Amino acid sequence: MKYETVIGLEVHAQLLTKSKMFCACSTKFGEPPNTLTCPICLGMPGVLPVINRRAVEFALKTALALHCPINPSCRFSRKHYFYPDMPKNFQISQYDQPLAQHGFITIRMNGESKQVGIRRVHLEEDVGKLVHAGTMAEAQHSYVDFNRSGVPLLEIVSEPEIHSPAEAAEYLRQLRAVLMYLEVCDGNMEEGSFRCDANISIRRAHSPELGVKTEVKNMNSFKAVQKALEYEVKRQIKILEEGGRIVQETRLWDADQEITLSMRTKEEAHDYRYFPEPDLLPLEVSPVWIEEIRSSLPELPEERRRRFVLHYGLPEYDAGVLTATKALANYFEECVSLHPQAKVVSNWVMVELLGQLNKDNREIEASPISPQALAELLSLMDQGVISGKIAKAVFEEMYQTGEAAGAIVKEKGLTQISDEEELLRIVEEVIAQNPGPVADYRAGKEKSFTYLVGQVMKATKGKANPQLANRLLRERLGEPGKQTAD
Ligand code: ADP
Ligand code: MG
Ligand code: ZN
């Protein structure tokens, strides 16, 4: 490998507070434009912002979960630029004294754990939204919706310690999981409540210096982030190979063409003229409050993953998949509490359930099969009432109709045939109807045995208890290579 990729990510997470960062307006999504506003979030002259305590609490939770020491005192600053969606012409953010710094997050890549440094975690307010209507040919109109103006955002900035696009996507998945476990952000990338700007550079392997970076914006899914970065790696390496130089610039991901396009270069970059927000006092968080929050942190994805391995004896891979979201981990644990065979439950959840849900683009919360219903199905299988093969068919039916396993089994007469006499009758019929394969088996052709088992399964529509069918067939056929009395 001649080159090394260096990536640092800036994430903006919308906090799940009921009201905005500096006023009492609602943060609800999807309301009619400009109905959730007041003089403060419209940036009228003479108004005074008031810090939202809940937003600070959520920020502290996140910072602590990311192993950041909390700064005893931090402050807000004005970040100046001119844009029609921001009537004050500055955004209240944090600059030289952020809420917290120097943490890390643990991610897993190729079965190994790795820590990525968190440079800073700070609070700021969101801006409004421009809505562009009409095409260029028509008269074009742009509208401004200020409902989002002043919604609390948490900015989480990583160190440049991510070394591939896949690792960047994994970092984002893990960070999103942490925020969602903490219930401070809904993690919705499409609605923009979890968005990411990616900084990326290339350097010669083992070079001590960082290369010139570009910043890529406008990706609204993990896949888009990964694709955009993969594109940038190729683009930057090509420039270096051709003896060129990378220009420090901001680039936009074009999802249709799957390329990045230059938006602005360093020369055009804003000078934000940060200065301390004079309308807010420095924010001092008491150590008592910090300890209160620290001790009330819930179990986080990383801890839960480790517990799933230790407590349930699951493979690392399973534990990683099952703890990806809190809802999925809860689903698994509820199911295991009713059907205490962790690996069986894990297989069914990962393969059958997630397989179906992914196909339908559904989340676990929308699963038509509850953990109780899945546990019932697995118990029926475990007790030998139905075979594994039938269980899969019943599962399909449950998924489509939402009906319970027991009801489907009864209604469709799928109960496994474990009655020896009943099955023996069928075994004898199969033997009588298949003289050729029977003779082959007796002549030592083991393959014919498999064929005969298949015939018993066919005759019973898959309902024969496989172990019993095997035993009865062996008994009736006798030892291969020997003729039996009958
Ligand atoms: P800016 O002032 O342009 O926003 P910062 O130094 O504040 O740049 O860093 C922003 C993000 O970019 C951080 O996540 C950081 O890790 C990352 N970063 C900084 N330098 C580089 C680089 N040379 N290559 C890749 N990422 C970088
Ligand atoms: Mg930046
Ligand atoms: Zn307001």
Side-chain angles (χ1 to χ4, degrees):
M1 276 275 280
K2 231 169 119 194
Y3 295 102
E4 185 185 38
T5 301
V6 177
I7 298 168
L9 299 175
E10 296 168 271
V11 164
H12 286 92
Q14 188 178 316
L15 295 176
L16 279 173
T17 55
K18 291 207 174 73
S19 59
K20 294 187 180 178
M21 187 65 224
F22 300 113
C23 65
C25 291
S26 166
T27 54
K28 221 167 148 204
F29 184 82
E31 292 298 292
N34 298 308
T35 53
L36 308 176
T37 58
C38 74
I40 294 177
C41 54
L42 287 174
M44 299 291 181
V47 296
L48 287 174
V50 177
I51 299 173
N52 181 332
R53 184 184 168 92
R54 183 57 60 107
V56 177
E57 181 193 324
F58 285 179
L60 290 170
K61 273 191 177 179
T62 309
L64 291 172
L66 297 174
H67 313 96
C68 295
I70 307 296
N71 288 331
S73 174
C74 65
R75 66 178 177 189
F76 289 91
S77 292
R78 293 184 176 185
K79 177 182 184 179
H80 297 84
Y81 56 102
F82 177 78
Y83 207 69
D85 62 10
M86 196 180 64
K88 294 199 293 274
N89 289 339
F90 63 83
Q91 179 187 15
I92 305 180
S93 180
Q94 294 195 294
Y95 183 55
D96 52 351
Q97 293 182 29
L99 182 88
Q101 286 157 290
H102 314 306
F104 66 87
I105 187 168
T106 306
I107 65 170
R108 288 191 64 81
M109 275 308 283
N110 309 321
E112 285 186 22
S113 289
K114 153 174 183 168
Q115 288 183 356
V116 175
I118 300 291
R119 184 177 280 185
R120 55 189 278 142
V121 174
H122 78 237
L123 275 164
E124 61 185 35
E125 58 176 342
D126 208 346
V127 295
K129 204 161 81 182
L130 284 185
V131 183
H132 304 289
T135 59
M136 285 306 267
E138 306 166 36
Q140 189 174 334
H141 297 283
S142 288
Y143 301 92
V144 196
D145 177 6
F146 288 109
N147 282 357
R148 203 179 65 182
S149 170
V151 163
L153 293 180
L154 197 61
E155 180 167 336
I156 301 154
V157 182
S158 86
E159 292 294 344
E161 294 175 353
I162 298 164
H163 294 295
S164 72
E167 207 171 281
E170 192 49 38
Y171 168 92
L172 290 176
R173 273 188 215 105
Q174 197 58 32
L175 179 58
R176 180 170 173 268
V178 169
L179 293 168
M180 290 177 72
Y181 267 65
L182 291 170
E183 296 178 1
V184 299
C185 174
D186 67 19
N188 191 326
M189 284 184 95
E190 270 152 35
E191 285 177 10
S193 29
F194 182 89
R195 34 191 206 263
C196 157
D197 300 337
N199 299 270
I200 176 165
S201 63
I202 296 292
R203 64 176 168 190
R204 291 206 172 270
H206 313 300
S207 152
E209 277 158 50
L210 291 177
V212 175
K213 73 177 163 79
T214 61
E215 184 179 13
V216 190
K217 291 178 181 284
N218 201 35
M219 295 91 59
N220 63 358
S221 68
F222 296 130
K223 226 187 232 157
V225 171
Q226 190 167 340
K227 272 191 182 164
L229 290 174
E230 278 162 2
Y231 178 85
E232 267 306 286
V233 171
K234 282 201 200 115
R235 191 187 68 86
Q236 293 189 12
I237 288 180
K238 184 157 178 275
I239 292 175
L240 295 179
E241 291 276 282
E242 289 168 353
R245 282 176 42 211
I246 309 294
V247 189
Q248 185 172 336
E249 62 184 350
T250 302
R251 300 179 68 87
L252 285 188
W253 172 240
D254 181 326
D256 294 328
Q257 301 187 67
E258 303 206 331
I259 56 172
T260 64
L261 296 165
S262 179
M263 183 172 108
R264 59 167 180 257
T265 59
K266 199 181 178 186
E267 287 71 45
E268 305 161 74
H270 304 287
D271 173 358
Y272 294 119
R273 294 172 192 276
Y274 280 101
F275 68 74
E277 166 60 66
D279 290 340
L280 290 169
L281 288 169
L283 174 64
E284 287 177 8
V285 181
S286 79
V288 177
W289 195 23
I290 294 175
E291 288 322 306
E292 241 175 68
I293 292 175
R294 195 195 305 277
S295 61
S296 69
L297 285 181
E299 187 182 35
L300 294 165
E302 169 69 10
E303 295 163 309
R304 202 163 190 184
R305 189 185 58 71
R306 260 184 280 140
R307 182 165 63 80
F308 275 25
V309 172
L310 289 175
H311 183 75
Y312 296 115
L314 289 178
E316 289 278 352
Y317 177 79
D318 295 39
V321 172
L322 294 172
T323 55
T325 69
K326 200 175 189 166
L328 182 59
N330 288 347
Y331 186 103
F332 169 80
E333 290 210 273
E334 261 180 76
C335 198
V336 170
S337 72
L338 298 167
H339 185 78
Q341 295 182 6
K343 185 56 184 153
V344 175
V345 173
S346 167
N347 288 347
W348 278 76
V349 169
M350 290 201 312
V351 181
E352 308 300 327
L353 187 60
L354 289 186
Q356 280 284 0
L357 291 172
N358 287 343
K359 224 190 296 165
D360 298 346
N361 225 341
R362 278 199 209 175
E363 297 292 326
I364 187 76
E365 288 91 333
S367 168
I369 301 178
S370 69
Q372 292 77 14
L374 181 59
E376 186 200 336
L377 173 70
L378 300 184
S379 299
L380 288 176
M381 192 173 71
D382 195 42
Q383 292 154 15
V385 177
I386 52 173
S387 65
K389 203 170 160 195
I390 294 283
K392 288 197 177 157
V394 173
F395 178 90
E396 294 266 327
E397 186 80 16
M398 291 167 72
Y399 188 89
Q400 299 307 333
T401 64
E403 251 189 278
I408 294 169
V409 169
K410 205 183 251 172
E411 200 177 290
K412 304 214 155 174
L414 298 173
T415 305
Q416 180 162 262
I417 304 173
S418 297
D419 181 78
E420 198 160 331
E421 241 170 78
E422 191 182 346
L423 200 54
L424 189 57
R425 248 198 342 270
I426 297 162
V427 163
E428 279 173 346
E429 258 171 51
V430 166
I431 289 176
Q433 284 161 7
N434 293 280
V438 168
D440 287 348
Y441 171 75
R442 287 182 174 149
K445 241 172 117 185
E446 182 63 21
K447 242 192 181 159
S448 301
F449 184 77
T450 316
Y451 174 79
L452 292 167
V453 173
Q455 292 305 302
V456 173
M457 284 301 175
K458 200 171 152 198
T460 57
K461 299 200 177 75
K463 290 188 294 182
N465 176 326
Q467 286 86 27
L468 187 59
N470 264 278
R471 179 166 65 76
L472 293 177
L473 255 177
R474 291 260 187 229
E475 280 172 15
R476 299 313 290 170
L477 289 168
E479 290 284 302
K482 285 185 209 155
Q483 294 291 330
T484 46
D486 52 346

